[in-house]
Amino acid sequence: MQVFRSFREHRSFALRVALFVFLLVSGLNILSLILMPKEFINSGYPGTSSMLGFYDLPEDSLDVLILGSSHAITGVDTQKLYDDHGYKSYTLGCSEQNIAVSYFYLKEALKTQHPKAVILETLMAFPFRDDKILYSSAASSEKALNYMKPGMNRLRAVYEISKYDSELDPLGMILHFLQYHERWDNLSEKDILIFDDYAYLTLHGYNVKYGNLLKEEQKYRPFDKESGRTGELSPVIRGYLSKIVDLCRKNNMELILLKTPSNKTGADEYRTMSAFARENSLYYLDLNEAEAYGRIGFDYKNDMGNVGHVNFTGAQKIADRIGEVLKESGVTPGSPDRDWEETEGLYKICRENFMISIEDSKAEYLSMAENRRYSLFIVTSGEEGNSVYLRCDHKEVLCRDGTTVMGTLPGSQKEYEAYSNEEGMSVMIDGDEKITGDKKWYAVIYDEVLRDVFDVVYSDEDGRLTHM
Amino acid sequence: MIFLIAALGLYYLFPPGKRWVVLLGFSIFFYCSCGVRTLPLFIAMTAVSYFGSLLLCRNKSRELFFILILLLLLPMLLTKTLVRFTELSVFAPVGVSFFTLQIIAYLSDVRSNKTAPERNFLKYLLFIGFFPQLLQGPIPRYGLMEDLYKGHTFDEDKVIKGFMLIAWGFFLKLMIADRAGIFVDMVYSDIDRYGGTYIFIAGILYSIQLYTDFSSCVCIAKGSGEMFGITLSDNFNRPYFSDSIKDFWRRWHISLSMFLRDYIYIPLGGSRAGKLRKYVNIMITFLVSGIWHGGGLNYIFWGMLHGTYEILQELLGGLWKKAGVITGFDGHRRLVRLLNILITGFCVMTAWIIFRAESLSKGLNMVLSMFTRVNPWILFNDSLILDGFEMADWNILALSVMILIMVSILQEKGVSIRDRILSYPLLLRGALYMAVILICVVFGEYGEGFETGSYIYAGF
């Protein structure tokens, strides 16, 4: 009775305190969102957009969920999988995403989606960083869980993953402002974009890797399936893989293990993962194995963006093969969905950017760069004279007197500065120098939709282009 | 904070007569959370002093009193000298330097009939281990602690004022003390590289760091106490506004100064037995103060230096006044006071430089370097921007110190800032509280590499 009487007497105070606490928590939440590091579509591996975009999907709209690290993000063309095979897929991934994170992502995804199949990219089942139990850096685990919605899955993920990595601060991973408050002197326009539609810009978790390896001295040979020896998965990794297997069985989802082409894993890993797949009656598709590699017509130099990650054409080939595998496994595509239709425009933009990123003829390149959503900077020196050419926001500027051209790029608050004079050449965007070296001709292309520079090239004396 | 909210909730839900039991329970829990292995020695010291006080009540012999004092001083002396460098340090009671003095004062008061001994052991345990003041004081007297057992009724204004004091404590710690500490640590970690003006700047910043670090803990302790309706004594009274060393010790760590005055200086004879004896008593009192702060020679030197300051000030006081008359300064009271504040501040800062040093020789070398290495230009170029202490840190620190100075000036003029804020409209108050919290959260110095929970004075 004393309690109730006491509460009645101070009810107004209690209400004021409750309101204050509510506003304070809301304020801290907004602060956390601003302070947290972000990886949008203009980042190499846009984990933030991927997570936000996933929560934005219509409920129960997914046929296939793809989980994994950067190899999964860049490796499967989700739009191609929809356009040519009818599967509505989404890649929930971030760079160095460990198997434990993939497990918790799957649990989280099952709250709103009921996919018929799950594809798990297996790079992180094998030592990527030898000093880590889960093989991934603490920073990547933090990034992976930052934008997961608050709830038991995130709490459980933070608790379990920080058990295996002493570098992680579990409290900071829950109360983000504690962990990231020191970013206050490093904030930029990007941090405010979290409240913009731009933050949700994603090709259903797929990120196009630009460029190819044609000009690089890279050697790669797919392995024979009989080579190598069967090893052991680490108990922790095996534990999480088994949990994923169980969860898929429990929810009647087909689990497919996938390894995209890369030089990071070889025959030993193939044999080890094959043994695990056999044990659990799973389909395992390792595209580094000679037969599988040949079947999709993969060409390492043409289809890789860098030594570890496939590029746009590589991801298309993988998507085609996955479409076949899904069909063979009896996974039927669901009905068409507006969400996947709507990303056609963005997909076209990325494809155009990719084509530019592999073009090595200057004339062709300049013709492709005519697109109105691009801002083009060309700086020259030497015999052609010092000049800065800029086409930006429907305006053209040609400056030959060595002065600095300055302004703001369209679609963002990013500032640019470009000059070419006796002292040298520079194209500075948002404080970052985009050109390096002592070549005579450089071009920098900024995409208004992606809000970032996506290609920088220089020209050799023979007029061929090299992408930086 | 969760701990405090839980304690407050339960405290006010209990019947008034039993509310002290809640405080006792939470104090024991708090003590255990600081290190459960230190609990047995803490309980043992409390028990010895409890039974000792009952004995002293019947038998006031000097021998018994001294035996008790020696017995109770032993853990503190061992902690400060031998134990802190060994594995046994995990058994050293938390806050031993503070509650040992509290116990000594209590036993002395019981022996001299200033207070009656507490018969209830649990109440006595609460008196010694009341959680807000356990780690860094203020060192309470028994008379001041009687309201611990009263069972206060809920007072909205007191709770809000307590909250304000806690928020201010966090502001001092996160915005000033720990940020200033970065620069101080950098300079002290490489004194060969950073000499001259760097030492001077580090000395100023350390003076600010030590004050804000210590007073933040006291603010949090006092604020927490106020939320329960319990008033803890003041420990600081804007010490850097002191215009003499004597004044400084009336304003700095007041509860320790009062203890030293009442239980060391006056029992030694104080100023009653001639000037020479008075000066000896001053030096002994400051020697004890130095030893209390730590076993190192630099602490002892620091104490003796303050003793010397005070004696010199007394000896040269007349001369100083005459100099004022001759130069015509004596008519400008404000200017003279400002000059005195600056001189006192400089003397105190020089002593702090030695106090902070790893050893006496390093401390003396640093002070020497301050006067012999001439590099004032570092104030005007980018030299003070160090890797890890950027311009943004200077800006935040400067702004925060300005706020501290403004608040101190208002307080010096007798303005009660908390009462004034309490008179503001509700929305404005709420916005102000919110702003302070969010500013501390974003711009405060804490997280990886910082131990916000550790306070400088908790190590003494």
Side-chain angles (χ1 to χ4, degrees):
Chain A
M1 287 310 287
Q2 163 87 16
V3 176
F4 294 116
R5 197 167 50 243
S6 172
F7 181 75
R8 263 201 308 274
E9 279 170 18
H10 304 288
R11 193 167 49 191
S12 136
F13 178 70
L15 285 174
R16 273 183 283 145
V17 170
L19 182 67
F20 180 76
V21 170
F22 171 77
L23 291 174
L24 183 63
V25 170
S26 307
L28 289 172
N29 200 29
I30 292 169
L31 263 184
S32 295
L33 281 173
I34 294 170
L35 291 166
M36 276 196 289
K38 287 137 195 105
E39 290 186 312
F40 298 136
I41 194 158
N42 59 6
S43 311
Y45 309 107
T48 308
S49 303
S50 159
M51 201 76 225
L52 295 178
F54 182 81
Y55 286 122
D56 213 30
L57 280 179
E59 206 163 310
D60 212 5
S61 59
L62 216 54
D63 297 325
V64 181
L65 177 68
I66 302 158
L67 298 166
S69 64
S70 56
H71 288 209
I73 300 170
T74 55
V76 186
D77 184 336
T78 50
Q79 195 65 40
K80 172 98 171 154
L81 205 51
Y82 176 75
D83 291 344
D84 294 0
H85 302 271
Y87 292 108
K88 290 167 287 176
S89 62
Y90 200 101
T91 306
L92 260 185
C94 73
S95 55
E96 284 187 44
Q97 177 172 302
N98 62 53
I99 302 290
V101 169
S102 290
Y103 167 67
F104 287 106
Y105 271 4
L106 177 57
K107 284 189 79 170
E108 182 72 358
L110 290 175
K111 281 159 77 174
T112 53
Q113 302 291 339
H114 300 93
K116 295 161 193 163
V118 172
I119 295 170
L120 177 69
E121 213 283 340
T122 58
L123 172 76
M124 297 305 289
F126 300 99
F128 187 78
R129 289 179 190 269
D130 290 334
D131 57 331
K132 295 285 184 180
I133 295 171
L134 292 168
Y135 304 144
S136 62
S137 67
S140 63
S141 297
E142 284 164 2
K143 274 194 279 184
L145 300 178
N146 273 351
Y147 291 91
M148 202 168 168
K149 275 188 181 170
M152 280 314 288
N153 280 334
R154 196 171 104 190
L155 281 179
R156 191 86 202 157
V158 167
Y159 170 73
E160 288 198 19
I161 292 166
S162 55
K163 244 183 2 186
Y164 296 115
D165 194 336
S166 56
E167 275 183 56
L168 291 171
D169 166 22
L171 189 63
M173 287 170 82
I174 294 163
L175 305 173
H176 295 299
F177 56 87
L178 295 179
Q179 189 164 11
Y180 296 116
H181 76 100
E182 69 256 40
R183 282 195 72 237
W184 63 267
D185 59 349
N186 202 21
L187 294 175
S188 68
E189 182 202 7
K190 194 176 177 181
D191 294 294
I192 308 296
L193 287 178
I194 192 74
F195 305 109
D196 192 285
D197 285 347
Y198 173 77
Y200 294 79
L201 210 57
T202 171
L203 288 169
H204 297 101
Y206 164 54
N207 202 47
V208 176
K209 188 84 192 158
Y210 299 127
N212 58 32
L213 300 180
L214 281 176
K215 286 198 173 175
E216 303 209 11
E217 292 294 320
Q218 292 296 336
K219 284 185 184 151
Y220 170 84
R221 226 179 77 188
F223 54 79
D224 188 88
K225 66 166 72 167
E226 299 307 324
S227 62
R229 57 176 197 84
T230 308
E232 285 290 326
L233 289 164
S234 93
V236 175
I237 298 294
R238 176 177 270 278
Y240 280 109
L241 282 172
S242 301
K243 282 182 176 185
I244 291 173
V245 171
D246 292 345
L247 201 55
C248 287
R249 287 217 176 104
K250 200 174 145 197
N251 289 278
N252 205 19
M253 300 181 295
E254 189 71 28
L255 176 63
I256 293 163
L257 304 177
L258 168 74
K259 183 67 218 81
T260 59
S262 84
N263 62 358
K264 300 283 181 197
T265 57
D268 291 351
E269 286 83 359
Y270 167 75
R271 295 285 292 263
T272 308
M273 194 47 79
S274 293
F276 180 82
R278 259 195 318 278
E279 253 175 62
N280 293 281
S281 312
L282 302 175
Y283 194 103
Y284 175 42
L285 177 66
D286 189 335
L287 294 167
N288 296 286
E289 182 269 309
E291 204 181 305
Y293 182 88
R295 184 171 174 171
I296 61 170
F298 203 85
D299 173 3
Y300 192 76
K301 291 216 156 193
N302 263 312
D303 296 330
M304 294 297 285
N306 60 25
V307 291
H309 304 91
V310 303
N311 64 16
F312 180 74
T313 53
Q316 284 194 316
K317 289 175 181 174
I318 296 171
D320 273 337
R321 180 69 187 117
I322 285 175
E324 289 168 15
V325 171
L326 287 168
K327 206 169 178 185
E328 285 163 23
S329 307
V331 178
T332 51
S335 53
D337 192 292
R338 211 179 64 180
D339 213 74
W340 275 261
E341 308 285 344
E342 281 174 354
T343 44
E344 282 296 351
L346 181 60
Y347 186 67
K348 187 170 164 272
I349 287 170
C350 293
R351 186 170 53 212
E352 284 171 357
N353 290 357
F354 171 74
M355 296 314 287
I356 285 188
S357 80
I358 59 169
E359 184 54 59
D360 69 349
S361 147
K362 196 195 267 186
E364 247 342 276
Y365 186 88
L366 292 175
S367 143
M368 290 162 112
E370 290 289 321
N371 197 316
R372 288 176 67 178
R373 69 168 193 279
Y374 296 148
S375 294
L376 173 68
F377 296 82
I378 297 174
V379 285
T380 64
S381 67
E383 288 161 13
E384 294 181 37
N386 293 322
S387 72
V388 174
Y389 169 78
L390 166 63
R391 200 188 59 241
C392 166
D393 215 5
H394 316 299
K395 284 179 287 190
E396 280 186 295
V397 176
L398 179 62
C399 177
R400 290 185 182 277
D401 59 3
T403 53
T404 303
V405 180
M406 293 193 295
T408 306
L409 288 162
S412 77
Q413 298 299 316
K414 287 182 178 167
E415 288 176 351
Y416 62 81
E417 274 183 35
Y419 65 81
S420 175
N421 52 35
E422 271 89 52
E423 286 172 17
M425 294 192 288
S426 167
V427 176
M428 189 87 87
I429 292 182
D430 209 21
D432 278 342
E433 181 56 77
K434 294 294 174 189
I435 60 175
T436 51
D438 54 357
K439 305 292 177 188
K440 310 287 182 207
W441 190 95
Y442 289 92
V444 176
I445 303 185
Y446 166 89
D447 187 317
E448 187 180 327
V449 176
L450 301 186
R451 302 191 192 188
D452 211 351
V453 168
F454 74 92
D455 198 46
V456 180
V457 283
Y458 63 82
S459 166
D460 288 326
E461 284 176 8
D462 61 0
R464 305 308 291 178
L465 296 180
T466 301
H467 296 266
M468 292 168 77
Chain B
M1 283 312 282
I2 294 169
F3 173 85
L4 183 62
I5 291 165
L8 275 171
L10 270 180
Y11 183 80
Y12 287 113
L13 288 177
F14 261 56
K18 301 285 178 208
R19 283 181 181 168
W20 67 271
V21 180
V22 175
L23 294 180
L24 178 65
F26 275 88
S27 295
I28 291 172
F29 179 79
F30 181 80
Y31 204 91
C32 292
S33 67
C34 293
V36 74
R37 278 184 283 194
T38 67
L39 188 66
L41 194 53
F42 170 71
I43 299 282
M45 286 177 73
T46 311
V48 167
S49 59
Y50 169 74
F51 290 112
S53 69
L54 296 179
L55 275 176
L56 275 177
C57 187
R58 272 182 262 157
N59 174 6
K60 303 204 184 296
S61 81
R62 181 178 275 217
E63 289 76 16
L64 175 65
F65 179 66
F66 279 115
I67 288 169
L68 278 170
I69 297 298
L70 279 177
L71 201 62
L72 292 163
L73 273 175
L74 210 58
M76 181 179 88
L77 292 174
L78 286 175
T79 302
K80 283 181 180 294
T81 52
L82 303 171
V83 173
R84 71 166 24 163
F85 307 111
T86 67
E87 288 173 1
L88 288 172
S89 61
V90 293
F91 297 102
V94 178
V96 65
S97 301
F98 292 89
F99 71 74
T100 301
L101 298 193
Q102 182 182 350
I103 286 172
I104 290 170
Y106 170 69
L107 290 179
S108 179
D109 286 352
V110 168
R111 184 170 172 267
S112 58
N113 286 332
K114 281 184 190 160
T115 186
E118 175 57 57
R119 305 274 167 185
N120 184 332
F121 177 72
L122 294 178
K123 281 187 175 179
Y124 179 68
L125 187 63
L126 173 61
F127 164 59
I128 301 298
F130 181 46
F131 69 86
Q133 45 104 51
L134 183 66
L135 293 180
Q136 291 190 61
I139 303 158
R141 303 292 177 82
Y142 184 75
L144 295 174
M145 295 297 287
E146 272 175 358
D147 69 341
L148 208 55
Y149 317 125
K150 273 183 189 163
H152 301 270
T153 50
F154 183 84
D155 182 337
E156 194 180 306
D157 283 358
K158 276 192 175 174
V159 170
I160 295 172
K161 283 171 82 172
F163 166 77
M164 281 194 252
L165 207 49
I166 292 173
W168 178 243
F170 277 109
F171 177 86
L172 295 178
K173 174 74 176 162
L174 302 177
M175 301 292 287
I176 303 179
D178 286 353
R179 180 161 268 114
I182 302 171
F183 186 88
V184 173
D185 290 348
M186 281 178 170
V187 171
Y188 269 83
S189 66
D190 195 352
I191 50 174
D192 294 330
R193 184 173 162 198
Y194 300 116
T197 312
Y198 281 107
I199 306 284
F200 181 71
I201 301 291
I204 293 174
L205 288 189
Y206 183 62
S207 306
I208 294 171
Q209 182 197 1
L210 193 63
Y211 169 56
T212 48
D213 186 279
F214 194 7
S215 63
S216 85
C217 188
V218 173
C219 283
I220 293 168
K222 277 193 65 147
S224 306
E226 269 184 40
M227 287 177 135
F228 294 101
I230 296 158
T231 308
L232 296 176
S233 60
D234 272 327
N235 225 8
F236 291 100
N237 187 20
R238 297 163 295 285
Y240 294 133
F241 284 172
S242 312
D243 57 6
S244 67
I245 292 296
K246 203 176 212 171
D247 189 23
F248 176 77
W249 283 103
R250 275 195 293 257
R251 292 165 174 260
W252 177 271
H253 204 172
I254 297 166
S255 60
L256 176 70
S257 302
M258 301 267 276
F259 175 90
L260 293 172
R261 187 198 64 189
D262 293 349
Y263 300 102
I264 306 285
Y265 180 70
I266 291 175
L268 282 172
S271 57
R272 288 163 296 170
K275 281 214 162 178
L276 184 65
R277 186 57 201 263
K278 178 187 170 184
Y279 298 150
V280 171
N281 291 343
I282 288 173
M283 292 307 274
I284 292 172
T285 307
F286 278 108
L287 176 69
V288 172
S289 174
I291 293 170
W292 181 85
H293 281 87
L297 277 177
N298 55 324
Y299 295 113
I300 292 170
F301 186 88
W302 166 82
M304 304 303 281
L305 187 59
H306 267 279
T308 312
Y309 283 157
E310 196 160 326
I311 293 167
L312 278 177
Q313 204 161 37
E314 197 161 319
L315 289 173
L316 302 175
L319 211 63
W320 182 243
K321 272 186 186 160
K322 272 185 192 163
V325 175
I326 292 165
T327 54
F329 265 103
D330 61 331
H332 303 84
R333 284 180 63 190
R334 278 192 174 179
L335 196 64
V336 170
R337 180 165 151 70
L338 182 67
L339 200 61
N340 283 338
I341 288 173
L342 289 175
I343 291 169
T344 307
F346 184 77
C347 293
V348 169
M349 180 202 76
T350 310
W352 284 141
I353 291 173
I354 297 164
F355 182 88
R356 165 68 174 79
E358 275 174 39
S359 64
L360 177 59
S361 61
K362 279 189 180 173
L364 290 172
N365 278 334
M366 287 177 79
V367 173
L368 196 65
S369 158
M370 192 166 72
F371 295 108
T372 54
R373 201 161 141 186
V374 182
N375 55 351
W377 42 85
I378 65 157
L379 294 171
F380 312 108
N381 57 30
D382 291 340
S383 303
L384 288 175
I385 299 168
L386 307 180
D387 187 20
F389 200 79
E390 311 292 337
M391 198 59 214
D393 291 297
W394 280 111
N395 291 337
I396 296 286
L397 184 61
L399 270 171
S400 306
V401 171
M402 272 168 62
I403 292 173
L404 171 65
I405 292 172
M406 274 156 53
V407 167
S408 302
I409 289 172
L410 285 174
Q411 285 175 332
E412 196 70 3
K413 286 180 178 170
V415 176
S416 166
I417 309 261
R418 288 188 292 158
D419 283 333
R420 189 173 276 193
I421 293 173
L422 213 53
S423 69
Y424 291 166
L426 189 64
L427 270 179
L428 184 62
R429 264 198 290 149
L432 188 66
Y433 304 151
M434 189 82 74
V436 170
I437 294 173
L438 296 183
I439 284 171
C440 287
V441 163
V442 178
F443 301 110
E445 202 58 71
Y446 60 91
E448 208 176 325
F450 292 90
E451 291 174 46
T452 307
S454 67
Y455 287 87
I456 297 172
Y457 255 76
F460 295 140

